[in-house]
Amino acid sequence: AQTVTQSQPEMSVQEAETVTLSCTYDTSENNYYLFWYKQPPSRQMILVIRQEAYKQQNATENRFSVNFQKAAKSFSLKISDSQLGDTAMYFCAFMKPPPDMRFGAGTRLTVKP
Amino acid sequence: GAVVSQHPSRVICKSGTSVKIECRSLDFQATTMFWYRQFPKQSLMLMATSNEGSKATYEQGVEKDKFLINHASLTLSTLTVTSAHPEDSSFYICSAPAGAATEAFFGQGTRLTVV
Protein backbone atom coordinates (compact mmCIF):
# COMPACT_ATOMS: atom_id res chain seq x y z
CA ALA A 1 0.00 0.00 0.00
CA GLN A 2 1.08 3.54 -0.63
CA THR A 3 2.04 5.74 2.30
CA VAL A 4 2.41 9.50 2.47
CA THR A 5 4.44 11.16 5.20
CA GLN A 6 4.36 14.77 6.28
CA SER A 7 6.86 15.24 9.07
CA GLN A 8 5.97 18.83 9.99
CA PRO A 9 2.76 18.95 12.08
CA GLU A 10 2.92 22.73 12.36
CA MET A 11 4.78 25.55 10.68
CA SER A 12 4.63 29.30 10.75
CA VAL A 13 5.92 32.01 8.46
CA GLN A 14 5.91 35.78 8.38
CA GLU A 15 3.72 37.45 5.84
CA ALA A 16 5.52 38.00 2.50
CA GLU A 17 8.19 35.41 3.28
CA THR A 18 8.70 31.97 1.78
CA VAL A 19 7.95 28.64 3.41
CA THR A 20 8.49 25.04 2.30
CA LEU A 21 6.32 22.13 3.39
CA SER A 22 7.78 18.63 3.15
CA CYS A 23 6.22 15.42 1.91
CA THR A 24 7.63 12.00 1.18
CA TYR A 25 5.84 8.97 -0.14
CA ASP A 26 6.42 5.32 -0.68
CA THR A 27 5.23 3.40 -3.72
CA SER A 28 6.31 0.77 -6.17
CA GLU A 29 4.16 2.28 -8.90
CA ASN A 30 5.57 4.23 -11.80
CA ASN A 31 2.39 5.96 -12.94
CA TYR A 32 0.85 8.19 -10.29
CA TYR A 33 -0.11 11.73 -9.37
CA LEU A 34 0.83 13.89 -6.41
CA PHE A 35 -1.19 16.75 -4.99
CA TRP A 36 -1.11 19.43 -2.39
CA TYR A 37 -4.50 20.35 -0.96
CA LYS A 38 -5.35 23.26 1.29
CA GLN A 39 -8.05 22.89 3.92
CA PRO A 40 -9.12 26.22 5.49
CA PRO A 41 -11.37 26.38 8.56
CA SER A 42 -14.39 25.81 6.32
CA ARG A 43 -12.91 22.32 5.79
CA GLN A 44 -13.49 22.47 2.04
CA MET A 45 -10.61 20.76 0.28
CA ILE A 46 -8.97 23.08 -2.23
CA LEU A 47 -6.48 21.85 -4.80
CA VAL A 48 -3.29 23.90 -4.64
CA ILE A 49 -1.10 22.12 -7.14
CA ARG A 50 -0.76 18.82 -8.99
CA GLN A 51 2.24 16.93 -10.33
CA GLU A 52 2.25 14.03 -12.78
CA ALA A 53 4.94 11.52 -11.93
CA TYR A 54 5.96 11.09 -15.55
CA LYS A 55 6.79 14.78 -15.86
CA GLN A 56 10.25 15.86 -14.79
CA GLN A 57 9.39 19.54 -14.77
CA ASN A 58 8.21 20.83 -11.43
CA ALA A 59 4.66 22.17 -11.37
CA THR A 60 4.04 25.81 -10.54
CA GLU A 61 0.85 27.76 -9.86
CA ASN A 62 1.46 31.43 -9.23
CA ARG A 63 3.04 31.66 -5.75
CA PHE A 64 3.01 27.89 -5.29
CA SER A 65 5.64 25.55 -6.66
CA VAL A 66 6.82 22.05 -5.96
CA ASN A 67 10.16 20.33 -5.80
CA PHE A 68 9.47 16.85 -7.13
CA GLN A 69 12.30 14.37 -6.66
CA LYS A 70 10.99 11.09 -8.06
CA ALA A 71 13.99 8.95 -7.16
CA ALA A 72 13.95 10.23 -3.60
CA LYS A 73 10.12 10.03 -3.50
CA SER A 74 9.95 13.56 -2.23
CA PHE A 75 7.35 16.20 -3.08
CA SER A 76 7.74 19.50 -1.23
CA LEU A 77 5.57 22.59 -1.59
CA LYS A 78 7.06 26.07 -1.64
CA ILE A 79 4.82 29.04 -0.94
CA SER A 80 6.34 32.36 -1.93
CA ASP A 81 5.21 35.78 -0.74
CA SER A 82 3.04 34.17 1.93
CA GLN A 83 -0.31 35.81 2.54
CA LEU A 84 -2.59 35.73 5.59
CA GLY A 85 -5.11 33.79 3.51
CA ASP A 86 -2.63 30.97 3.13
CA THR A 87 -3.20 30.04 6.78
CA ALA A 88 -4.72 26.54 6.65
CA MET A 89 -4.03 22.84 6.90
CA TYR A 90 -2.05 21.52 3.95
CA PHE A 91 -2.27 17.90 2.90
CA CYS A 92 0.01 16.05 0.55
CA ALA A 93 -1.82 13.34 -1.41
CA PHE A 94 -0.93 10.46 -3.69
CA MET A 95 -3.22 8.94 -6.29
CA LYS A 96 -2.76 6.07 -8.67
CA PRO A 97 -5.02 4.18 -11.05
CA PRO A 98 -7.27 2.38 -10.53
CA PRO A 99 -8.45 5.21 -8.37
CA ASP A 100 -6.75 5.00 -4.99
CA MET A 101 -5.99 8.21 -3.10
CA ARG A 102 -4.11 8.57 0.18
CA PHE A 103 -3.26 11.56 2.30
CA GLY A 104 -0.45 12.57 4.58
CA ALA A 105 -1.09 13.63 8.17
CA GLY A 106 -1.12 17.28 7.25
CA THR A 107 0.81 20.41 8.16
CA ARG A 108 -0.89 23.29 9.91
CA LEU A 109 0.51 26.50 8.43
CA THR A 110 0.10 29.84 10.15
CA VAL A 111 1.02 33.04 8.35
CA LYS A 112 1.81 35.78 10.83
CA PRO A 113 1.27 39.47 10.07
CA GLY B 1 -13.16 22.21 -12.22
CA ALA B 2 -15.81 19.57 -11.78
CA VAL B 3 -18.32 19.87 -8.96
CA VAL B 4 -19.13 17.35 -6.27
CA SER B 5 -22.07 18.16 -4.03
CA GLN B 6 -22.39 16.56 -0.60
CA HIS B 7 -25.54 16.75 1.49
CA PRO B 8 -26.30 17.44 4.26
CA SER B 9 -23.52 19.72 5.46
CA ARG B 10 -24.51 19.23 9.07
CA VAL B 11 -26.68 16.68 10.80
CA ILE B 12 -27.51 15.89 14.39
CA CYS B 13 -29.11 12.57 15.18
CA LYS B 14 -30.01 10.52 18.21
CA SER B 15 -28.10 7.42 19.23
CA GLY B 16 -29.47 4.32 17.61
CA THR B 17 -30.83 6.02 14.51
CA SER B 18 -29.43 5.91 10.99
CA VAL B 19 -28.17 8.80 8.93
CA LYS B 20 -27.68 8.96 5.18
CA ILE B 21 -25.13 11.21 3.51
CA GLU B 22 -25.30 11.81 -0.24
CA CYS B 23 -22.48 12.60 -2.61
CA ARG B 24 -23.31 13.69 -6.15
CA SER B 25 -21.09 14.47 -9.10
CA LEU B 26 -22.91 17.31 -10.82
CA ASP B 27 -21.19 17.66 -14.15
CA PHE B 28 -19.32 14.43 -14.73
CA GLN B 29 -19.81 10.74 -14.30
CA ALA B 30 -18.04 9.12 -11.39
CA THR B 31 -17.65 5.37 -11.54
CA THR B 32 -15.68 5.56 -8.31
CA MET B 33 -16.12 7.66 -5.19
CA PHE B 34 -14.05 7.81 -2.04
CA TRP B 35 -15.46 8.22 1.46
CA TYR B 36 -13.21 9.70 4.13
CA ARG B 37 -13.55 10.36 7.81
CA GLN B 38 -11.71 13.22 9.45
CA PHE B 39 -11.28 13.75 13.17
CA PRO B 40 -10.47 17.25 14.47
CA LYS B 41 -7.00 18.38 13.52
CA GLN B 42 -6.26 15.09 11.82
CA SER B 43 -5.94 13.86 8.27
CA LEU B 44 -8.49 12.30 5.97
CA MET B 45 -8.73 8.59 6.60
CA LEU B 46 -10.06 6.55 3.72
CA MET B 47 -13.02 4.49 4.85
CA ALA B 48 -14.10 2.90 1.60
CA THR B 49 -14.12 3.17 -2.15
CA SER B 50 -17.51 2.87 -3.79
CA ASN B 51 -17.88 1.55 -7.28
CA GLU B 52 -20.92 2.08 -9.46
CA GLY B 53 -22.89 -1.12 -9.84
CA SER B 54 -20.76 -3.22 -7.53
CA LYS B 55 -19.88 -3.62 -3.89
CA ALA B 56 -17.77 -1.04 -2.12
CA THR B 57 -14.24 -1.81 -1.05
CA TYR B 58 -13.76 -1.12 2.65
CA GLU B 59 -10.49 -0.29 4.35
CA GLN B 60 -9.26 -2.56 7.08
CA GLY B 61 -10.97 -1.86 10.37
CA VAL B 62 -14.05 -0.20 8.88
CA GLU B 63 -17.29 -1.97 9.77
CA LYS B 64 -19.18 -2.76 6.59
CA ASP B 65 -22.47 -3.29 8.37
CA LYS B 66 -22.22 0.01 10.19
CA PHE B 67 -21.15 2.17 7.27
CA LEU B 68 -23.31 1.12 4.35
CA ILE B 69 -22.22 2.45 1.00
CA ASN B 70 -24.31 2.39 -2.13
CA HIS B 71 -23.26 3.62 -5.56
CA ALA B 72 -26.39 3.06 -7.59
CA SER B 73 -25.70 5.48 -10.43
CA LEU B 74 -22.80 7.20 -12.12
CA THR B 75 -23.53 10.43 -10.27
CA LEU B 76 -24.61 9.36 -6.79
CA SER B 77 -22.99 7.54 -3.91
CA THR B 78 -24.48 7.35 -0.43
CA LEU B 79 -23.02 6.57 2.97
CA THR B 80 -25.45 5.42 5.64
CA VAL B 81 -24.28 5.34 9.22
CA THR B 82 -26.46 2.73 10.86
CA SER B 83 -27.31 2.55 14.57
CA ALA B 84 -25.26 5.65 15.16
CA HIS B 85 -23.36 6.13 18.41
CA PRO B 86 -21.65 9.23 19.81
CA GLU B 87 -18.27 7.85 18.75
CA ASP B 88 -19.45 8.02 15.15
CA SER B 89 -19.54 11.78 15.46
CA SER B 90 -17.05 13.12 12.96
CA PHE B 91 -16.55 14.97 9.70
CA TYR B 92 -17.21 12.84 6.62
CA ILE B 93 -15.97 13.85 3.17
CA CYS B 94 -16.57 12.29 -0.20
CA SER B 95 -14.53 12.75 -3.34
CA ALA B 96 -14.73 11.57 -6.90
CA PRO B 97 -11.76 11.07 -9.16
CA ALA B 98 -12.07 12.37 -12.68
CA GLY B 99 -10.50 10.97 -15.78
CA ALA B 100 -8.00 8.19 -15.37
CA ALA B 101 -7.37 8.98 -11.71
CA THR B 102 -5.64 12.22 -12.59
CA GLU B 103 -7.50 14.45 -10.18
CA ALA B 104 -10.13 14.21 -7.46
CA PHE B 105 -12.94 16.59 -6.61
CA PHE B 106 -14.29 16.92 -3.11
CA GLY B 107 -17.67 17.44 -1.58
CA GLN B 108 -18.15 20.08 1.08
CA GLY B 109 -18.17 17.53 3.85
CA THR B 110 -20.76 16.53 6.45
CA ARG B 111 -20.42 17.19 10.13
CA LEU B 112 -22.23 14.41 11.95
CA THR B 113 -23.07 14.77 15.61
CA VAL B 114 -24.67 11.86 17.42
CA VAL B 115 -26.32 12.74 20.72
Side-chain angles (χ1 to χ4, degrees):
Chain A
Q2 283 67 229
T3 59
V4 181
T5 302
Q6 291 179 251
S7 58
Q8 304 154 313
E10 294 188 13
M11 292 194 71
S12 64
V13 62
Q14 291 295 133
E15 193 175 8
E17 295 190 347
T18 297
V19 64
T20 299
L21 308 184
S22 302
C23 173
T24 59
Y25 59 95
D26 185 26
T27 185
S28 58
E29 302 287 335
N30 195 46
N31 178 27
Y32 54 88
Y33 294 82
L34 296 164
F35 308 85
W36 278 97
Y37 282 92
K38 171 183 177 181
Q39 189 181 44
S42 68
R43 303 189 83 167
Q44 174 71 54
M45 297 292 283
I46 301 168
L47 177 65
V48 174
I49 200 164
R50 181 182 75 164
Q51 175 78 45
E52 294 91 335
Y54 63 84
K55 288 188 177 180
Q56 290 187 333
Q57 186 174 5
N58 290 323
T60 62
E61 286 287 343
N62 301 315
R63 298 183 295 108
F64 301 89
S65 62
V66 298
N67 183 0
F68 173 48
Q69 301 291 327
K70 190 172 183 178
K73 297 179 182 176
S74 171
F75 183 61
S76 62
L77 173 69
K78 185 172 80 171
I79 305 175
S80 304
D81 186 25
S82 296
Q83 300 177 359
L84 296 179
D86 294 335
T87 293
M89 281 290 291
Y90 286 82
F91 293 102
C92 178
F94 171 103
M95 185 159 70
K96 68 171 184 67
D100 181 0
M101 193 169 196
R102 309 286 166 152
F103 288 84
T107 296
R108 182 173 300 278
L109 176 67
T110 301
V111 180
K112 299 179 178 178
Chain B
V3 177
V4 173
S5 178
Q6 186 173 343
H7 179 80
S9 58
R10 292 174 181 266
V11 59
I12 300 173
C13 70
K14 293 184 178 180
S15 291
T17 63
S18 295
V19 175
K20 180 185 285 187
I21 302 170
E22 294 187 345
C23 183
R24 294 180 184 272
S25 57
L26 299 185
D27 50 4
F28 68 103
Q29 293 182 334
T31 56
T32 299
M33 288 190 179
F34 301 123
W35 286 96
Y36 296 91
R37 182 173 181 175
Q38 186 179 30
F39 291 105
K41 298 185 179 181
Q42 293 190 24
S43 186
L44 282 71
M45 300 303 298
L46 182 65
M47 298 175 64
T49 302
S50 72
N51 303 290
E52 188 270 334
S54 63
K55 291 183 178 180
T57 303
Y58 289 82
E59 294 297 302
Q60 190 173 8
V62 177
E63 298 178 60
K64 300 178 183 181
D65 294 334
K66 180 162 193 62
F67 299 100
L68 299 179
I69 290 174
N70 183 273
H71 195 151
S73 77
L74 288 171
T75 60
L76 175 64
S77 177
T78 61
L79 167 66
T80 301
V81 183
T82 63
S83 186
H85 290 281
E87 56 264 32
D88 298 327
S89 298
S90 192
F91 191 71
Y92 294 87
I93 307 177
C94 69
S95 77
T102 59
E103 190 170 351
F105 300 95
F106 288 81
Q108 303 93 321
T110 297
R111 185 181 302 279
L112 170 64
T113 303
V114 184
V115 297

